[in-house]
Every structure is written in structure tokens, then in C-alpha cells.
Amino acid sequence: MNAERHIIGERGNHFLNRVEGDTGANISACYQCERCTNACPVSIFMDIKPHQVIRYVQMGRRDELLKSSTIWVCLSCETCTTYCPNEVGVAEVINHLRNLAAKSSVEPAERPLAVFHRTFLEELQRFGRVNEFWMINSFNLKPGILKEKWKSGVLKEEMLLGIRLFKKGRLHLLPSKSKGIKRIRKIMKQNEGILDR
Amino acid sequence: MKISFYPGCSLEGMANDYARSIVSVFSDMEIDLVEIKDWSCCGATAAHSLSEYLSVVFPARNLSLAEEMGLDIVSPCANCFKRLKYSQHMIKKGLYDIPWKVQGDNTVYEITRFLSQPEMLARVQKRVLRPLKGLRVVSYYGCQMVRPPKITGFFDYENPQSLDKLAAAAGAEVIDWSYKTTCCGAGIGMGRKDIQRHLTGRILEKAKQSGAEAVVVSCPLCQTNLDTAQSEKDERPLPVFYITELIRLAFTEHAGSGWFRSHFADPSMLLDEKGIL
Ligand code: SF4
Ligand code: SF4
């Protein structure tokens, strides 16, 4: 039995109001029917299930949410949002929490996934377009990534895959560029805090 | 008829064969497909995961370029399509400063939605030289293309039909199944191979159970994911075709050598069996 009890409203409505305001999601309308969680293809891999995420926001439990693996595991497949009877916008809320976590100092529960998103944007501002081959190489060079892949055996698998892809002509080795990079870099600079962690 | 084309990053890399089949099919259908000059990446999953603002501005640059051309847009990638639509939706709301001149008024078509409009479908049917008789396929839409319907405009999200109609127009036999829009996990493999395997494995298994001999898709991420997950030693590989590859096949007497060179799950045996290679 979980002895700890949380009373709705004990932390006030600030967090709820803020997230509702930022996302436009009707979080207050959730009546915990769990349809979102039942429809979610990866809820079994989540520590806080989609319907619980909504409840946690209602209760102002921000820290637990930002530390959760859920916000990184979520595929943004929008099944939850589509099937919610109250139009709560579950996927939008989870994505917003992911945005908040990315900007916070919280160590992401799924570090490789967070690093991967950052690497992608770095590549985007480097060339204006993202070249898969360059992106994977940059990702592998991030601290700890290769080691983790080596340990789990994924590295060998990926190298074999890479060779096959190359042989099949699916790897484009030269990155192509867009002249948009100048402007894109400026925008990224104005939004510092997204990449510099 | 003239329309602008936003290929997106995958079509220059993993899905370069998709790009070739699209160009060929559109040219056969006498549609003038004009690539958006100097397009840039839409930001895909990464941008919206880290910053909603970036996910609105990055696609906006391409919307702006297309507006300058005065043309609607065709997007062959489910993820790009959704990002473009979402960006338009947010531009209309006027919540963000957009550094590009853009109204957000152009129509953005997901490629199968474009090609399955009645007039286009009729064009496809008219051009078919060799129907893909006896080829049993399931159509797989993936998660990005159809949901949420308010953004994508796919109001038949429960059981979408655009791919089904096109595959049928090419003469294939389209089997009904329940996994048309369940996520294949393409985006999560970089950090969680276990989740990717779980999702991909299920789609492939259910497709085989349905009696299909091949899967037909229109998303470069789904194709890459479902195709490259199959091992060389697989006894009964399940080829994963882009819809335009099938249409192109139906438009010609003989497939060009190397058309399916980049496929992991080699379709040549299957096509040979059906007498359509
Ligand atoms: S489906 Fe909607 S109402 Fe039901 S638990 Fe999920 S968010 Fe709440
Ligand atoms: S968007 Fe995320 S939470 Fe919602 S169903 Fe998909 S994976 Fe689950």
C-alpha cells in the first residue's frame, strides 16, 4: 500500500493554470477514464502513465513529471489525444513537459533520447538540412553514447546495418545545404538554452 | 497542373529511391512537380520535442518559399506533412513571431491524399498498363499522417483509405487489417531499441498474419524502419513498397533494373512469382 496521500489542490493551481495556458489543453476536464493510457502503444514502457500525467499536472507535481521517462518515451503518435472523450490534448501536454524538461536543469531520465533530439537540431543549424549519415556520426560522438551502445550490443548491430545501407545506396555521404542556415542559426541563437546543455 | 514539392531530408538519403519513383509517376501523370528551391529541414520530431517555437518557425520558412512561388505543396513524408500543417495552424493563431513572410494559406497535401483525389485517381487508372494482379498487400499509414485529425484533416483516421485506393488503382489486392495507423517506432530506436523492436515487430507480424505478401507505405521513416528491421536470413521477407513504386510498376511493361535495389526485404522473388517484374 502506498501510504503517501496526495490531496488535490494541496499545491495550488499554479502549475495547472500555466500548463493549460501554454498548451491550450483542457487538463481540468480529465475525468480519469484511462482511455488515453489504454490506447497508448508504449504505456507499458512508461513510469507515469498518460492519464496519470494529466492527474499529476492537475496536482502540480511538476518535478516528478520532468524527471519521468514518460516524457521522452512518448512517441507523439497522438493516439491519446485523438481518443480522449474530453479533448484533453494529452500528447500536447506531454510534449510541453518535454519542452520544459529540455530547458530545465533536470537530468533527463532517457538521456540518449534527449541527446539525440539536440544532435538533430545541431545538424539542422549546421547545414540547414539533416543528413542521416552525418547525424548518426555526430550522435555517436556525444559523451557516453558509444559506450552505452557498446554495452547493450547495439553498436555492432548498427555497424552491420550501416554497411548494408551503404551497399544498398541508401547512405548519402555528402551533406546538402540550404541557404537558410544563416537565418536558422540566428533563430537558434535567440533561443539559447535549447542546445547549450 | 503545377504543384510545389517539399521532399524533406529523408528523400535525399535513406529514401532516395522513393524520390525517384515520385518524380517518375508525377511526370507520367503530367503533373508539373516543382521542388521548392533551397528548402530547409522542418525540424521533425526533434524541434517540437525541445521547443514548440522552433517547430513552428522551421516549417514556416518552406511555407513561405512555396507562397512566393504561388503554389500548393505536396509532401511525401508523413512527419514533414504534419509539421507543415501544424506550423500553418499556429501561424494562423498568431502566437509566435515568424521571421519569414508567410500567411499559412497554401494547401499542404500529404502525397497519398493528393493522388487519391477523384480526378487524380482517374488519371492513375487510365495510365495503368499492367495491373498488379494477385499482389496481396496491406496499407500502412503510420502515426504521423492521420493524427490528430484536427491538424491533418484526415477525418477517416480510424480507417484511412487514401493508400488503399491507390494500391487498388494499381491493380493490387488490398487486405483490411487493424494496424494501419499504429506507430512503428521509427523515431525511438536511437535511444530505446527495445521499444522500437516491440513496435516494429508487431506491425510486421500482424501484416503477415493478415495474409499480405507486402506492405505499402508512403512515409520514408516507416519504410526504412519496417524494411531494414528484416534480416537477410528471413525465410519469408515482407517487402515494404512505397506506393509510388507500385504505381510506377503498374505504369510500365517491365520494371527497370535496379528499381528495388535499395530494398532490404527483396521483392524480386515475389514480383517474379506474380509475373510483374
Ligand atoms: S482519455 Fe482524456 S479524460 Fe480519459 S483519462 Fe485520458 S486525458 Fe483523462
Ligand atoms: S502520443 Fe505519447 S502518450 Fe499519447 S498515445 Fe502516443 S505514445 Fe502514448
Side-chain angles (χ1 to χ4, degrees), chain B residues 130 249 252-260 271 276-277:
Chain B
R130 176 184 53 166
L249 200 55
T252 40
E253 297 279 5
H254 297 284
S257 71
W259 277 12
F260 303 105
L271 295 178
I276 40 183
L277 199 61

Side-chain angles (χ1 to χ4, degrees), chain A residues 36 39-42 46 50 73-81 90-91 94:
Chain A
C36 48
C40 174
V42 289
M46 292 174 168
V73 162
C74 165
L75 307 154
S76 300
C77 74
E78 300 272 359
T79 313
C80 49
T81 295
V90 190
I94 294 178

Side-chain angles (χ1 to χ4, degrees), chain B residues 216-248:
Chain B
V216 51
V217 300
S218 69
C219 170
L221 307 175
C222 298
Q223 201 283 343
T224 302
N225 188 34
L226 295 175
D227 186 30
T228 63
Q230 301 186 50
S231 128
E232 272 165 313
K233 294 176 208 110
D234 221 325
E235 267 171 41
R236 206 190 121 202
L238 195 68
V240 185
F241 291 107
Y242 290 113
I243 182 64
T244 41
E245 287 182 315
L246 286 190
I247 299 175
R248 187 187 193 189

Side-chain angles (χ1 to χ4, degrees), chain A residues 29-36 51 54 83-86 88 90:
Chain A
C30 169
Y31 51 32
Q32 293 292 298
C33 69
E34 299 186 27
R35 206 169 170 195
C36 48
H51 71 286
I54 300 304
Y83 293 104
C84 172
N86 294 323
V88 169
V90 190

